[in-house]
Amino acid sequence: MKNRKFLTAVIAVMLSCALAACGGQTGTQQTTIAAAAEAAAETAASAQITAEEVTKAAAEETVAENAEAKTEASEEASEAGGASAESSAAGEVSGPVTITDMLGREITLEQPATRVVALTPSDCEILFAIGAGDTLVGRGEYCDYPAAVLDIPAVQSGAETNIEEILALEPQLLIMSAMSQTEEQAAQLEAAGVQVVISDAQDIAGVYTAIEMIGKLMGRDESAAEVIDNMKAIFAEIEEKSTGDGSKTIYFEVSPLEYGLYTAGAHTFMDEVANMLGVKNCFADVEGWGAISEEQVLKRNPDYIMTITMYYGEGPTPEEEILGRAGWENVTAVKNKAILNLVDNELSRPAPRLADGARKLYDFVYGEDAE
Amino acid sequence: MRSRSGRFSFIEFVIFVAVTFAVFCLCVCIGSVSIPLTDTLSVIWDGVRYHLGRLGMAVIQVVSGSGAEAVGGAGTVPGGVSATVESTGAVISGGNGVLASWLAAKPEGLQASIILSVRLPRVLCVAMTGAALALAGGAMQGLLKNPLADGSTLGVSSGAALGAVIAIAFGVRFPGLPFAGTMVMAILFAFLSLVLILTLAYRLDYSLATNTIILIGVIFSMFVSSLMNIIVTFAADRIQHITFWTMGSLQGASYQNALVLLGVLMLCGGMILRRAQELNAFAIGEDNARHIGVDVRRVKLVILIMVSGLIGVCVSIGGSIGFVGLVTPHIVRMLVGPNHRRLLPASLFGGAVFLMLADLAARTLLNPIELPIGVVTSLVGAVVFVVIFYRSRRRS
Amino acid sequence: MLQVNDLTVRYGDLTIVDHLSFTVEEGQWLMIVGPNGAGKSTTLDAITQGTAYAGQVLFEGEDMKKKKAAERARCVGVLMQNHFAEYAFSVEEVVALGRYSCAGVRSRARWYAGSEIGFEGEFAGTAGGTDVRIGKKPDIGTKKKFGAFTEKRPGVRTKENVGLAQKSRRESGLHAEKHTGRSNEDEQAVENALALTGMSSQRKQSILTLSGGELQRTFLAQVFAQDPKLLLLDEPTNHLDLVYQKQVFELIEKWLQTPGRAVISVVHDLSLAKAYGTKVLLMNRGRKVACGPAVEVLVPEHLDPVYQMNVSGWMRQMLGQWGG
């Protein structure tokens, strides 16, 4: 009697597992796990073959040093690439692309990518900045800039990254960061035939590298270079115009008092921009992002406060909330009402908009007429 | 040492108050920014004098104001009224003058801001949160006759946090009371989770065996945390700070928060303290409690509501801070014995001391970086939890 | 004293107690016997309102359902078969809890018949027999009158509530209450109960360190301190060795000698039922099989079908081993 009950329970559990597997988030395709795995294995195999052919061709080319051989090789490669031949019109450059991603892995695409999924908001921004936004077939759920990105299907990212969901979008290329994604996820995706590229900028120089890398992958080297030059120009201009000598201090508030203060310390984009402006980050002794003591903010008495807290239209605005904090009335920034609320993540994402953020911070510190 | 009545002797009471007060002073004097002891004391003294003075002036104004009104209402001659107004005005200014000469001006400056606006309200809130959580834990351990029962192990804190998160995500608000929405939802959800967990536990195992109820609590906590994640996915823009609800923080606690905590401690805490004898009966056995004439159903309901009130308010103010309610009654029980007439008031003080010290560590250990207070309590609590569990297993 | 009419207890589809009726009068010791699952313990649970039931349980003509918890405890006390101690309460604290329902009902304090008999002799190292004596037994009529009054208004402390003979003691009790939180009468009741059960010397000991027999005696002391009119025992000696069995049963027999008291106990041991019971209720599958004096109920015609064996034959065979 007991055994039978147990057996039924086991069968019920197995059945529900099977149901869950089939009804998984592959979306409209309605493939079973088994079918999906088969398909994945096939694509993986074919991807391996094409990669081998490409490298073979490249080897022949160097030995022969023959211009004809080169074009033949590239033709072969594009044939191996199959359907991507006609899409080369969209990109500026066609033909094989080799880059080193930001984990130092060498990656070769036989053609600039035409179906891309980007999990990190900053990579979406870069793609749009270099004019390759139309190649995006999927985005991480937190990607929200520019507005056009919201029309692209969202996939779960981070620890809950849904591999099935991504595979269902049939991308050739997936761009993700090393910080919020895992090696296992990358391995799984690559086994399923999706080329994974790691974009992991830690500073502004890293952002240039990322833009250049993504530009190459999309066959848009020139647009990428333009974006980078534009950023550099803005930064140079701001740096030149800034008259600060580091005597004024700024406090970056990442999380408001209600939920425990959090700031951006040394080696963050905010810190880098502050240095550019000749303003000292008053928590430069904190490495990276960290929870900090309220007392320390009062003691360090910043001249400026920048907060990235969102305002949802109820209660006091983030500026008002800071101005109304008990005990903060003696802080210079509060006395002078020198508080900036940047809500669009301009200074927290390794993306081209860092330049916009830097300009806004410059305007805030030196006044708009100084420009 | 244990008196026959089971109550605190005067001396014991004085010792507990003294220790608590000493720790309180220590926590106010030590902080991220070091301020000399003498300055700390003088700032507090000036603050007290300033507020006493304002209170005094307010009283004078109210008294003289109402006096003037009474005279004005009675008087029919306009000249007389104006005369009385003038004379009361003179009295007010005279009174103000006398007060002003004795009382300090409002303390200003960095030290005053740090001590009076940041540290003092925070330490007050921490102390009362600790007291409330420990009292709630002690009451639950007695009521369920389960030494591992506590808001965090039973999942009541998670339930309260879920309520608070729902209140924020869906904008549950009461006009005029900015934080009442989260608070009411937290209390409500704390109670609902308690009822749910206990119903389930009773169904599975009437004797409420230690393991069953803890297991259910753990499962419930997981369930709630997944619900919380779902809500956060839907309202990501509103709730960026999920760690606050899981780890807790009393940074930015205000005097208003302290007042709310004091109120709930007086009301719910008082109700629990009055049921000490009933809790003793429950701690010996629920059936036994019924047999000796305890109105089991009613007492249980009252205690559960009061515990929910305490935990709900604490969670809505400081997030869910684990292990305080679990560990404190155990340590206190070793000191004063299991009699709730002694255990509950001692837990009150013990919880305050424990959380104040934990908060002190969180504030100062990695200066200027601040640790979440829940990390410190969990670190200490988890170790003690294991020790308790090990000892109780070995005994049985 | 106790009247059970048409008692039925159901758990879902299962009928545990099926239309059971019986009565217990003052001075009676009713033994409920029957095989496992007969509904014996559930019947006790229903009497203490520990389970939902259909039918009526009347105590001195009043419905137990309508009584408040404290009033019920003044009428009916229970000694369970098992006690699982979790916290290190002292013996005295546990016994003192027996006085919970007496808060404010001072005049009903009664005296222990056991003290006069000096039962402590059987327990080594306990308090002497004399200090358990408090005074003469009050006349039953007076006691009942005041008892009825206070039952209706528990917690009211008026002079009318207090017997004249007890007046001076009561005042000193009030005085003592200020210092100790317990009245003199409560203290006295606890003292007596401890002495009666021989737990006086262990009063400060933690209940976690007691043996099974000591623990059972502690809870017996608690129910003695509670001083109910009707005592319910659910297999009170189930886990005790012979010495303790004898002690517990003799203690209860002494307790019963005071007028106005009655005992109901569930037992498995038929010879115990026969030896101590003045009335026996034989149950099977929730139904009453027979009820009456032991000599009428514990006979093969009733027992053998219920237990599906030759009970008396087996008992005789067992006793025969002792050469009796």
Side-chain angles (χ1 to χ4, degrees):
Chain A
M1 190 59 193
K2 231 179 184 179
N3 275 337
R4 189 176 294 175
K5 261 189 188 168
F6 181 72
L7 212 73
T8 0
V10 168
I11 290 170
V13 168
M14 280 166 69
L15 268 174
S16 54
C17 283
L19 261 174
C22 296
Q25 297 181 354
T26 41
T28 49
Q29 291 204 320
Q30 290 191 342
T31 45
T32 62
I33 280 259
E38 250 172 63
E42 268 174 33
T43 36
S46 63
Q48 256 178 359
I49 291 165
T50 49
E52 269 169 45
E53 274 175 4
V54 169
T55 38
K56 230 190 252 171
E60 276 169 27
E61 165 202 333
T62 43
V63 173
E65 287 184 358
N66 189 324
E68 270 183 41
K70 188 178 177 181
T71 44
E72 269 174 32
S74 67
E75 270 169 26
E76 266 179 37
S78 60
E79 270 168 30
S84 64
E86 77 270 15
S87 68
S88 62
E92 290 172 348
V93 182
S94 59
V97 178
T98 304
I99 55 114
T100 307
D101 81 354
M102 297 179 79
L103 276 187
R105 312 181 311 162
E106 189 140 304
I107 286 158
T108 305
L109 294 183
E110 62 271 20
Q111 273 290 312
T114 52
R115 292 184 68 82
V116 182
V117 169
L119 295 183
T120 324
S122 57
D123 295 326
C124 281
E125 290 189 24
I126 293 174
L127 281 167
F128 273 93
I130 61 172
D134 54 343
T135 60
L136 267 178
V137 294
R139 63 174 173 103
E141 55 192 327
Y142 298 113
C143 304
D144 55 0
Y145 189 93
V149 81
L150 298 174
D151 299 333
I152 294 163
V155 297
Q156 280 192 300
S157 59
E160 288 88 32
T161 300
N162 190 329
I163 305 286
E164 274 185 51
E165 209 174 25
I166 293 170
L167 292 179
L169 297 169
E170 295 182 323
Q172 301 157 336
L173 181 69
L174 181 121
I175 310 174
M176 64 189 218
S177 78
M179 199 173 81
S180 44
Q181 309 295 136
T182 66
E183 278 181 46
E184 288 77 15
Q185 290 166 356
Q188 249 182 312
L189 284 162
E190 284 184 338
V194 178
Q195 182 60 61
V196 174
V197 169
I198 306 295
S199 152
D200 198 30
Q202 301 293 335
D203 49 17
I204 291 173
V207 178
Y208 298 151
T209 316
I211 296 174
E212 199 183 336
M213 177 186 83
I214 293 174
K216 262 192 192 163
L217 286 168
M218 309 310 297
R220 287 177 172 272
D221 306 44
E222 280 177 32
S223 313
E226 263 173 49
V227 170
I228 295 169
D229 288 345
N230 188 31
M231 281 176 78
K232 282 183 174 163
I234 293 173
F235 286 137
E237 181 200 335
I238 288 172
E239 198 160 6
E240 204 214 350
K241 282 201 292 185
S242 293
T243 50
D245 54 359
S247 59
K248 299 267 185 176
T249 54
I250 185 164
Y251 158 59
F252 296 107
E253 187 166 290
V254 178
S255 162
L257 189 56
E258 193 186 352
Y259 300 118
L261 294 178
Y262 233 82
T263 199
H267 304 117
T268 58
F269 298 109
M270 293 181 199
D271 185 66
E272 229 175 322
V273 171
N275 289 336
M276 223 177 263
L277 294 174
V279 177
K280 190 169 174 280
N281 179 0
C282 72
F283 281 99
D285 55 338
V286 173
E287 183 65 37
W289 299 37
I292 38 111
S293 151
E294 185 184 358
E295 293 176 14
Q296 288 291 337
V297 181
L298 301 190
K299 190 191 168 201
R300 292 169 188 216
N301 191 16
D303 298 291
Y304 308 103
I305 296 176
M306 191 197 104
T307 168
I308 62 167
T309 305
M310 293 269 281
Y311 180 59
Y312 337 107
E314 299 156 345
T317 62
E319 293 103 319
E320 285 165 359
E321 190 265 320
I322 292 177
L323 288 175
R325 283 179 193 170
W328 287 49
E329 58 277 345
N330 292 321
V331 173
T332 312
V334 173
K335 271 188 200 154
N336 302 336
K337 300 206 163 117
I339 298 168
L340 174 68
N341 189 8
L342 274 192
V343 291
D344 293 328
N345 295 306
E346 294 97 323
L347 282 180
S348 35
R349 287 181 185 170
R353 280 194 303 142
L354 277 173
D356 303 354
R359 181 161 268 161
K360 281 183 186 166
L361 196 62
Y362 174 85
D363 291 347
F364 165 66
V365 171
Y366 294 104
E368 282 185 48
D369 40 331
E371 198 177 329
Chain B
M1 270 299 279
R2 287 178 207 171
S3 68
R4 291 185 62 180
S5 67
R7 288 205 179 133
F8 270 142
S9 70
F10 181 69
I11 303 279
E12 285 170 315
F13 189 74
V14 167
I15 291 173
F16 270 102
V17 171
V19 168
T20 310
F21 187 69
V23 172
F24 180 82
C25 291
L26 181 81
C27 290
V28 173
C29 293
I30 300 177
S32 171
V33 176
S34 55
I35 295 170
L37 187 63
T38 49
D39 291 2
T40 308
L41 294 179
S42 73
V43 161
I44 293 175
W45 175 235
D46 286 350
V48 168
R49 266 168 51 183
Y50 169 72
H51 284 285
L52 272 182
R54 285 215 345 197
L55 193 73
M57 280 182 209
V59 168
I60 287 174
Q61 256 157 9
V62 168
V63 168
S64 54
S66 61
E69 261 171 43
V71 171
T76 46
V77 188
V81 174
S82 67
T84 18
V85 169
E86 271 169 35
S87 67
T88 45
V91 169
I92 292 168
S93 57
N96 281 0
V98 171
L99 273 170
S101 65
W102 181 75
L103 293 161
K106 186 176 183 184
E108 299 262 355
L110 176 68
Q111 294 187 342
S113 301
I114 288 180
I115 302 254
L116 295 180
S117 304
V118 177
R119 229 181 259 173
L120 203 56
R122 177 170 177 166
V123 177
L124 274 173
C125 282
V126 165
M128 282 191 281
T129 304
L133 289 175
L135 188 67
M140 274 201 278
Q141 288 174 14
L143 188 74
L144 304 176
K145 195 189 171 186
N146 187 329
L148 299 180
D150 164 41
S152 50
T153 50
L154 293 192
V156 185
S157 304
S158 327
L162 178 68
V165 165
I166 288 176
I168 293 173
F170 299 108
V172 179
R173 265 162 201 280
F174 292 89
L177 296 164
F179 48 81
T182 38
M183 201 166 278
V184 169
M185 286 292 277
I187 293 172
L188 195 71
F189 270 70
F191 184 67
L192 287 180
S193 355
L194 254 179
V195 169
L196 190 75
I197 294 160
L198 292 184
T199 315
L200 212 66
Y202 273 113
R203 286 278 158 89
L204 283 178
D205 179 358
Y206 180 74
S207 68
L208 282 190
T210 309
N211 301 344
T212 315
I213 200 161
I214 297 302
L215 199 66
I216 292 171
V218 169
I219 293 167
F220 182 78
S221 296
M222 285 175 170
F223 176 68
V224 163
S225 79
S226 62
L227 280 184
M228 229 144 80
N229 278 321
I230 290 172
I231 291 168
V232 168
T233 326
F234 280 122
D237 52 334
R238 275 164 182 266
I239 304 153
Q240 310 157 314
H241 308 286
I242 187 108
T243 45
F244 172 79
W245 299 110
T246 52
M247 270 303 168
S249 162
L250 279 152
Q251 202 178 44
S254 65
Y255 287 112
Q256 284 98 305
N257 292 341
L259 215 60
V260 171
L261 278 167
L262 184 69
V264 81
L265 257 184
M266 303 261 263
L267 184 78
C268 300
M271 289 287 266
I272 291 175
L273 285 173
R274 278 182 54 201
R275 307 273 166 176
Q277 194 68 343
E278 283 85 349
L279 283 172
N280 278 340
F282 273 99
I284 285 166
E286 187 175 328
D287 284 331
N288 190 251
R290 183 161 52 83
H291 295 150
I292 62 168
V294 176
D295 192 341
V296 170
R297 203 176 273 261
R298 221 185 98 223
V299 170
K300 199 188 262 180
L301 192 68
V302 167
I303 300 274
L304 290 185
I305 290 174
M306 295 305 140
V307 161
S308 311
L310 287 175
I311 293 180
V313 168
C314 288
V315 166
S316 69
I317 287 176
S320 41
I321 301 170
F323 291 102
V324 186
L326 176 69
V327 173
T328 318
H330 275 280
I331 299 170
V332 170
R333 204 174 282 123
M334 288 174 200
L335 292 175
V336 303
N339 190 333
H340 285 79
R341 285 189 170 178
R342 299 155 57 81
L343 179 70
L344 292 180
S347 295
L348 211 62
F349 292 115
V353 167
F354 176 60
L355 203 60
M356 279 194 286
L357 291 177
D359 184 56
L360 185 65
R363 283 187 291 144
T364 53
L365 274 186
L366 293 178
N367 195 26
I369 290 174
E370 203 161 285
L371 282 167
I373 189 168
V375 170
V376 181
T377 56
S378 300
L379 263 179
V380 178
V383 175
V384 178
F385 186 95
V386 167
V387 171
I388 293 163
F389 201 66
Y390 177 74
R391 279 177 42 160
S392 71
R393 290 286 87 188
R394 217 175 38 168
R395 198 178 64 220
S396 60
Chain C
M1 183 182 258
L2 184 80
Q3 200 179 343
V4 174
N5 295 332
D6 216 22
L7 180 74
T8 304
V9 181
R10 288 198 181 89
Y11 293 152
D13 296 337
L14 226 61
T15 304
I16 311 291
V17 179
D18 197 357
H19 300 285
L20 182 71
S21 301
F22 64 90
T23 58
V24 180
E25 300 305 329
E26 268 187 32
Q28 274 187 343
W29 187 335
L30 174 73
M31 295 285 184
I32 305 181
V33 295
N36 286 332
K40 307 185 294 289
S41 298
T42 311
T43 304
L44 294 194
D45 271 353
I47 294 171
T48 60
Q49 311 298 307
T51 180
Y53 60 87
Q56 254 187 334
V57 179
L58 300 176
F59 189 88
E60 291 177 343
E62 288 175 45
D63 193 343
M64 282 288 275
K65 258 184 188 163
K66 289 178 184 145
K67 284 179 188 283
K68 285 184 181 160
E71 288 168 11
R72 279 203 296 270
R74 300 298 306 127
C75 303
V76 180
V78 182
L79 181 65
M80 293 188 295
Q81 58 172 314
N82 294 329
H83 303 280
F84 300 102
E86 183 65 59
Y87 300 112
F89 284 96
S90 71
V91 168
E92 193 182 16
E93 281 168 333
V94 173
V95 176
L97 269 176
R99 300 300 294 171
Y100 175 84
S101 59
C102 310
V105 192
R106 303 296 178 212
S107 61
R108 288 201 65 253
R110 274 185 275 177
W111 286 265
Y112 291 91
S115 61
E116 284 173 15
I117 297 145
F119 203 73
E120 296 70 38
E122 297 204 9
F123 302 101
T126 54
T130 47
D131 62 1
V132 228
R133 295 182 56 168
I134 308 160
K136 62 173 197 278
K137 282 185 231 166
D139 145 50
I140 293 168
T142 327
K143 184 188 69 199
K144 271 205 165 168
K145 193 173 122 206
F146 287 122
F149 184 75
T150 47
E151 260 163 39
K152 280 181 198 135
R153 299 173 58 193
V156 179
R157 294 179 186 176
T158 58
K159 277 189 180 171
E160 288 88 332
N161 264 2
V162 185
L164 278 175
Q166 299 160 348
K167 192 182 165 199
S168 63
R169 246 224 348 246
R170 161 127 182 80
E171 277 165 358
S172 68
L174 260 181
H175 181 68
E177 204 172 356
K178 278 178 192 159
H179 296 291
T180 63
R182 249 188 256 155
S183 78
N184 245 355
E185 276 168 46
D186 287 340
E187 295 280 358
Q188 212 61 63
V190 171
E191 284 304 313
N192 292 337
L194 283 170
L196 198 58
T197 51
M199 292 302 291
S200 291
S201 62
Q202 286 164 291
R203 65 188 331 142
K204 297 287 177 201
Q205 199 175 327
S206 151
I207 54 170
L208 293 181
T209 59
L210 296 178
S211 71
E214 288 165 339
L215 197 61
Q216 189 67 330
R217 275 194 282 147
T218 303
F219 281 93
L220 189 62
Q222 188 192 57
V223 80
F224 282 169
Q226 183 181 339
D227 189 30
K229 294 176 187 170
L230 175 65
L231 182 57
L232 305 186
L233 311 163
D234 191 356
E235 296 174 37
T237 57
N238 212 19
H239 300 283
L240 304 186
D241 63 29
L242 275 177
V243 180
Y244 285 127
Q245 277 197 26
K246 177 170 174 284
Q247 283 173 356
V248 167
F249 271 88
E250 286 179 353
L251 273 172
I252 292 162
E253 199 171 41
K254 303 293 177 210
W255 182 85
L256 188 58
Q257 284 174 3
T258 305
R261 287 175 172 169
V263 178
I264 302 177
S265 61
V266 168
V267 287
H268 269 304
D269 190 334
L270 295 177
S271 44
L272 273 177
K274 203 163 191 170
Y276 289 96
T278 56
K279 193 176 179 182
V280 176
L281 169 65
L282 177 63
M283 287 178 75
N284 192 24
R285 297 183 181 180
R287 295 214 177 95
K288 176 164 80 176
V289 177
C291 185
V295 283
E296 288 172 22
V297 175
L298 300 176
V299 290
E301 301 91 283
H302 295 311
L303 290 176
D304 293 359
V306 168
Y307 288 95
Q308 293 176 328
M309 61 181 276
N310 180 2
V311 177
S312 50
W314 188 66
M315 297 283 263
R316 262 195 299 277
Q317 191 189 331
M318 298 279 287
L319 288 172
Q321 307 275 326
W322 298 95

